[in-house]
Amino acid sequence: MRALEQAAVEQGATWAGLMEQAGLGVAQMAVHYIRRGARIVVLVGPGNNGGDGLVAARHLHDVGSAIQLYLWKRPFKPDDANHQHCRQRGIAELEAEYDPDRTALQAALQSADLVIDALLGAGISRPVVGELATIVETVNRVRMERGPICQVLAVDLPTGVDTETGMIHGVAINADVSVATGAIKRGMLFHPGRAAVGKIRMAPIGVPPHTLEAVMSELLTAEYARTLLPKRPSAAHKGLFGKVLIVGGSLHYPGAASLACAGAGRVGAGLVTLAAGRTVLGSGGRGPETTLLPVAESEWGTLGPNAVAEITKSMEGYQALLIGPGLGTAEPTKEFMRRFFGLQQPKARNQVGFLPHPATSASSESASVSLPPTVIDADGLNILASIEDWPDHLPHERCIFTPHPGEMRRLLKLDQLPADLTTCASGAAQAWGQVVVLKGATTIIAHPDGRTLIYDGSNPALATAGTGDVLAGAIAGLLAQGLSLFDAAALGVYLHGAAGVRVRDELGDAGALASDLLPQLPQAIRTLRGT
């Protein structure tokens, strides 16, 4: 954002003009939260964020609000034009250094209708401690005591929230709304800071949209997702909507594959087939719409390497493949994965296959097939993570990986993921040459070309076993309908999140099951279409 502002200045804008637009935008947003003549406390810090706060204070004063400035490390300077404008209007001031026990601050907060946090914003560079920490804690305490009577609005980000990662440095102000100036900052979208941000609003500052688009992640919204919906012509038949082959399920996890199959069907795939061991298929529990491909087991309920030939022989005619839900990580299943993806061969980016296994008669066969657009999820990812040099053997831009943070750590062979998850996901997508969906309270979709989408979909109702299987199935179902890897991943994430919102609204935050998402997926599509 600093680089973009600098570029705008080099193209003819001024720093004062950018700050004026930012502060005016904040003031215009604040008006929605106050009555005429409202009492407003503006917390003013030493940098540009404080300058935005002073501009907002001036505009709010001019429309009849009673303003109290609370200044932290911002002594008056004659060349501070925005501070000068406030003094010319007789706006009241308090300086934090003369209020060591925060008595004056607390008194001002007790009578305020709105508090504007312009202390640090995007300018945080170290933990919030000492004097600043006591200011933050005082604001949070009074906000809790007074409830909705006193709203807190943060300029850009609440003080204490990291701009890029959403980490909280020490303590952070808990805002009801944060007004992003110029562009939404990534840190606003990631936990734990996301909980402190509140509602997110925008205040444009004059940076050209095409300049922003060149360097920023994009937010995955309903408007974006709507453009991705596959067409459903009235004279269509099931063959137009593609066939999905799902390889998954094991003795201990038969339900995961069933959820994935239902997810693919519920987003509109024409036909869904489950390839699994005969024991697994015999356990039932699937919808009657799912067709079955029984394949060889190595042992009871465990997919083994002899299943490779049966699956590759049957794969022709399928437009999408999903492998991994409930697959298990038994050694025979690992051997299946190694052979299926050719992970024992010299790298071959355009083919998948398996090597003969010298110990069995079946292993004297060999096969290779073109890999259709493929989603690799759950145990499929865990098995890949245990194999050296796997990225060299997968055809580039043919797969979507859908890891949660634990699976991502294993794939990257890290003890802990870096705080900047967007850069982490983007770097992995570029290094592997595959689309990556890094799942979480905030989900990132990353393309090998560097594009990233962020879905702000925090929802505790989705924090239950099986919801990831539904998502993987939904993405595969959209792939089968002809969407590109990146578009299928994006639309799948959005529809999954939208269905989760409907479940939460109906059932609440706790007690929902992954299967509750399934009937809500077509409802989410219907809402997105506006029908």
Side-chain angles (χ1 to χ4, degrees):
M1 196 65 224
R2 293 187 186 98
L4 291 171
E5 290 171 343
Q6 180 64 48
V9 169
E10 291 171 358
Q11 294 170 23
T14 65
W15 290 107
L18 293 174
M19 189 173 292
E20 179 67 24
Q21 290 188 71
L24 176 59
V26 170
Q28 290 171 332
M29 190 58 61
V31 167
H32 294 289
Y33 295 88
I34 58 174
R35 54 178 174 77
R36 185 171 181 81
R39 295 179 295 275
I40 302 174
V41 174
V42 183
L43 309 173
V44 181
N48 288 344
N49 197 249
D52 295 343
L54 290 170
V55 173
R58 164 166 51 89
H59 285 293
L60 290 166
H61 171 274
D62 291 350
V63 297
S65 298
I67 307 296
Q68 172 74 70
L69 301 179
Y70 192 84
L71 306 164
W72 175 70
K73 292 192 175 180
R74 193 165 190 120
F76 177 76
K77 297 178 181 178
D79 60 350
D80 187 343
N82 293 314
H83 200 165
Q84 186 77 263
H85 292 321
C86 289
R87 286 204 163 181
Q88 289 169 355
R89 286 163 171 76
I91 295 175
E93 298 181 5
L94 287 170
E95 292 191 42
E97 66 175 308
Y98 301 122
D99 183 31
D101 59 2
R102 310 299 158 220
T103 303
L105 174 60
Q106 185 158 328
L109 295 172
Q110 289 291 353
S111 61
D113 300 297
L114 180 70
V115 179
I116 295 179
D117 169 23
L119 290 166
L120 291 182
I124 189 167
S125 59
R126 59 181 65 88
V128 174
V129 296
E131 184 177 58
L132 181 57
T134 65
I135 295 172
V136 170
E137 290 163 352
T138 301
V139 172
N140 287 342
R141 184 174 63 254
V142 174
R143 176 181 178 271
M144 285 291 293
E145 291 170 354
R146 299 192 64 204
I149 298 173
C150 179
Q151 299 278 293
V152 177
L153 182 153
V155 179
D156 240 357
L157 294 94
T159 295
V161 175
D162 188 278
T163 314
E164 295 184 4
T165 68
M167 299 299 293
I168 291 178
H169 295 290
V171 294
I173 281 182
N174 294 319
D176 296 287
V177 60
S178 296
V179 181
T181 58
I184 294 173
K185 314 306 185 292
R186 287 176 179 168
M188 304 177 79
L189 303 173
F190 290 94
H191 288 268
R194 181 66 184 90
V197 167
K199 297 176 182 177
I200 298 174
R201 298 291 183 265
M202 279 284 297
I205 62 171
V207 177
H210 69 273
T211 307
L212 289 170
E213 291 166 4
V215 297
M216 302 295 285
S217 299
E218 191 164 359
L219 198 61
L220 176 53
T221 63
E223 291 73 22
Y224 185 105
R226 189 173 294 114
T227 66
L228 307 179
L229 284 169
K231 291 180 170 35
R232 305 287 293 189
S234 58
H237 55 82
K238 66 182 180 183
L240 290 179
F241 302 129
K243 297 166 62 177
V244 180
L245 179 64
I246 296 178
V247 181
S250 60
L251 184 63
H252 295 290
Y253 308 108
S258 298
L259 288 167
C261 289
R266 287 294 192 175
V267 298
L271 182 140
V272 181
T273 299
L274 173 59
R278 291 166 174 80
T279 302
V280 175
L281 294 182
S283 65
R286 293 164 301 281
E289 303 84 2
T290 301
T291 61
L292 306 179
L293 175 61
V295 296
E297 295 178 330
S298 177
E299 54 191 62
W300 191 264
T302 299
L303 200 66
N306 289 337
V308 173
E310 296 171 286
I311 291 173
T312 54
K313 182 179 178 180
S314 302
M315 203 159 56
E316 185 177 354
Y318 285 89
Q319 286 72 46
L321 171 68
L322 165 59
I323 186 164
L327 197 60
T329 57
E331 191 55 44
T333 307
K334 291 181 180 179
E335 181 63 18
F336 164 82
M337 285 283 290
R338 283 191 285 265
R339 295 196 193 185
F340 186 81
F341 286 110
L343 299 176
Q344 297 166 306
Q345 306 181 49
K347 64 182 180 181
R349 296 191 183 280
N350 295 320
Q351 301 290 320
V352 294
F354 63 95
L355 283 179
H357 194 286
T360 67
S361 58
S363 66
S364 64
E365 304 173 21
S366 65
S368 64
V369 296
S370 295
L371 187 68
T374 298
V375 182
I376 305 180
D377 182 51
D379 285 332
L381 298 173
N382 290 326
I383 292 173
L384 279 186
S386 69
I387 300 171
E388 293 297 324
D389 301 326
W390 60 264
D392 293 334
H393 296 266
L394 297 183
H396 275 195
E397 296 193 34
R398 198 74 63 81
C399 299
I400 301 171
F401 293 173
T402 56
H404 58 54
E407 292 159 350
M408 191 70 167
R409 282 192 296 103
R410 288 188 279 275
L411 287 166
L412 293 171
K413 294 179 169 51
L414 296 174
D415 293 330
Q416 185 173 347
L417 292 181
D420 186 349
L421 294 177
T422 306
T423 299
C424 174
S426 181
Q430 293 175 65
W432 299 336
Q434 313 295 351
V435 170
V436 173
V437 177
L438 180 52
K439 300 180 293 192
T442 300
T443 294
I444 303 154
I445 304 105
H447 192 284
D449 67 8
R451 282 179 288 160
T452 52
L453 277 170
I454 298 176
Y455 181 63
D456 181 22
S458 305
N459 183 354
L462 294 178
T464 187
T467 56
D469 302 311
V470 175
L471 172 61
I475 293 173
L478 294 165
L479 279 177
Q481 294 173 71
L483 272 67
S484 70
L485 295 172
F486 192 69
D487 288 350
L491 183 55
V493 167
Y494 179 84
L495 293 174
H496 182 263
V501 170
R502 298 176 71 93
V503 169
R504 182 189 62 199
D505 291 347
E506 181 178 337
L507 301 178
D509 290 343
L513 301 176
S515 56
D516 294 323
L517 287 169
L518 297 171
Q520 297 297 345
L521 283 170
Q523 295 292 344
I525 293 172
R526 183 179 180 182
T527 299
L528 196 58
R529 288 191 192 280
T531 59

